[in-house]
């Protein structure tokens, strides 16, 4: 078994066909077939089921894939470090949209200060996309507000966060000390896109309580959500960290859930087979500095009650 075998295996998984993998790698299809056959003989089992001319990865194949991407990536990094005199250390950081808007810039600045020779790449998207890139070894580490689903990823809750219901300061709810959960079913909501950890948590909560959500707008940024709340009288559920500015400007009123169902964490996530570098360990220590929230100590809020 060689690195070349693993590269071919990964390309077959990503392409879905041996012919497509051969074309992408500029080799013949028989060469691809032979490499897969040699891997299967080496590990003593099928890596793909071949049904109706289609390939379906097996459990053994999934297990190999969880190692293969990281092994190939680490091999490439070793080659680059050993061969190139001007090799630059790199770290690829993924963050969900909420994290990106709240704390990412401060984290990157602190990481630059402590690792001035390290090249930092950051990628911001929703939880689902960050998870996919971590599994493909396209990112080294992620900070997410949602729950990752793959057993191949390690997720460590590290930074406190919670969701709040928000409305404009001209909305009728802004004058109420308490809002009943039942009242939300008649309101229009601005919601994050599918795949968002914020949306997943809120939808799950409302489903459990039997309250339908009337979605009037879907957006992939907090700015579009907050604008709809302020200008269109929609409601939204959002991280408390994302509305500090609008609260201070008197544009948004916060309604806090009286139970803890909207409490959550921003979690540090990385592949279970990933070798943690010094830069990754340093990043984890930096993230811990953002653990607590103090904005609610200086504002008055309404209360969301079950009934």
């Amino acid at each position: 078994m060689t690195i070349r075998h693993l590269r071919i295996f990964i390309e077959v998984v990503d392409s879905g066909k041996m012919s497509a993998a051969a074309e992408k790698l500029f080799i013949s299809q028989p060469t691809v077939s032979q490499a897969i056959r040699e891997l299967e003989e080496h590990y003593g089992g099928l890596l793909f089921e071949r049904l109706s001319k289609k390939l379906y990865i097996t459990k053994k194949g999934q297990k190999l894939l969880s190692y293969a991407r990281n092994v190939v990536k680490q091999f490439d990094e070793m080659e680059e470090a050993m061969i190139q005199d001007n090799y630059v250390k790199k770290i690829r950081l993924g963050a969900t949209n909420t994290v990106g808007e709240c704390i990412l810039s401060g984290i990157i600045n602190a990481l630059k200060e402590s690792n001035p020779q390290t090249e930092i790449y950051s990628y911001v998207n929703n939880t689902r996309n960050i998870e996919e890139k971590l599994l493909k070894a396209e990112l080294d580490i992620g900070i997410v507000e949602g729950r990752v689903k793959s057993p191949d990823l390690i997720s460590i809750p590290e930074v406190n966060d919670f969701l709040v219901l928000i409305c404009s300061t001209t909305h009728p709810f802004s004058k109420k000390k308490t809002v009943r959960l039942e009242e939300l079913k008649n309101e229009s909501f601005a919601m994050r896109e599918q795949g968002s950890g914020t949306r997943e948590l809120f939808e799950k909560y409302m489903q459990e309580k039997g309250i339908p959500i009337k979605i009037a707008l879907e957006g992939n940024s907090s700015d579009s959500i907050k604008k709809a709340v302020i200008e269109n009288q929609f409601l939204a559920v959002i991280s408390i960290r994302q509305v500090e500015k609008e609260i201070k400007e008197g544009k948004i009123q916060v309604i806090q859930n009286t139970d803890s169902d909207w409490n959550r964490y921003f979690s540090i996530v990385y592949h279970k087979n990933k070798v943690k570098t010094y830069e990754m360990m340093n990043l984890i220590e930096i993230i811990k500095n953002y653990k607590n929230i103090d904005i609610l100590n200086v504002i008055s809020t309404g209360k969301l009650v079950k009934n």
Side-chain angles (χ1 to χ4, degrees), residues 63-223:
K63 186 176 181 179
L64 177 60
L65 183 64
S66 73
Y67 287 95
R69 291 192 192 277
N70 284 296
V71 169
V72 170
K73 177 62 181 165
Q74 287 160 22
F75 176 82
D76 289 343
E77 289 174 351
M78 179 188 70
E79 288 286 281
E80 187 178 0
M82 295 302 295
I83 295 172
Q84 295 185 16
D85 292 333
N86 59 346
Y87 171 72
V88 177
K89 289 184 179 180
K90 300 174 184 178
I91 184 168
R92 300 163 302 160
L93 167 62
T96 48
N97 291 303
T98 299
V99 174
E101 292 169 1
C102 296
I103 63 175
L104 182 61
S105 60
I107 288 171
I108 290 174
N109 286 337
L111 189 59
K112 283 181 178 178
E113 186 175 341
S114 59
N115 300 271
Q117 305 304 317
T118 299
E119 186 178 292
I120 303 169
Y121 166 79
S122 58
Y123 171 82
V124 178
N125 210 306
N126 61 39
T127 303
R128 181 190 299 165
N129 282 283
I130 299 297
E131 180 172 356
E132 288 175 357
K133 285 190 172 290
L134 287 167
L135 289 170
K136 290 182 178 180
E138 294 174 5
L139 293 172
D140 298 310
I141 191 167
I143 316 168
V144 307
E145 83 265 16
R147 181 176 61 87
V148 296
K149 298 175 175 60
S150 172
D152 289 327
L153 296 178
I154 293 171
S155 180
I156 306 170
E158 200 60 71
V159 178
N160 296 323
D161 186 49
F162 57 88
L163 303 183
V164 290
L165 178 69
I166 61 170
C167 64
S168 77
T169 49
T170 59
H171 191 284
F173 281 7
S174 69
K175 307 299 186 290
K176 301 179 70 171
K177 290 185 177 180
T178 60
V179 175
R180 291 181 296 107
L181 188 62
E182 185 74 17
E183 295 179 76
L184 301 187
K185 67 181 181 181
N186 297 318
E187 297 292 327
S188 296
F189 276 84
M191 296 278 286
R192 283 284 306 280
E193 80 287 357
Q194 292 284 350
S196 157
T198 296
R199 175 167 178 161
E200 182 180 22
L201 178 58
F202 178 52
E203 285 185 330
K204 181 181 178 183
Y205 176 84
M206 295 293 275
Q207 185 177 23
E208 289 174 351
K209 300 296 185 282
I211 306 294
I213 304 171
K214 182 181 176 184
I215 301 175
L217 177 142
E218 289 183 276
N220 61 2
S221 74
S222 67
D223 285 341

Side-chain angles (χ1 to χ4, degrees), residues 28-79:
S28 68
Q29 184 171 336
T31 300
V32 172
S33 299
Q34 181 181 352
I36 297 301
R37 185 166 58 253
E38 288 172 354
L39 277 174
E40 290 178 330
E41 290 174 356
H42 181 77
Y43 290 115
L46 290 178
L47 301 176
F48 298 97
E49 293 283 357
R50 298 154 177 85
L51 302 173
S52 302
K53 298 184 179 180
K54 291 184 179 181
L55 295 179
Y56 299 87
I57 192 167
T58 63
K59 286 186 177 180
K60 183 177 282 288
Q62 290 284 4
K63 186 176 181 179
L64 177 60
L65 183 64
S66 73
Y67 287 95
R69 291 192 192 277
N70 284 296
V71 169
V72 170
K73 177 62 181 165
Q74 287 160 22
F75 176 82
D76 289 343
E77 289 174 351
M78 179 188 70
E79 288 286 281

Side-chain angles (χ1 to χ4, degrees), residues 244 247-248 293-301:
E244 184 172 359
I247 293 169
K248 291 177 178 177
I293 311 167
D294 57 11
I295 184 175
L296 287 184
N297 297 332
V298 295
I299 65 170
S300 59
T301 68

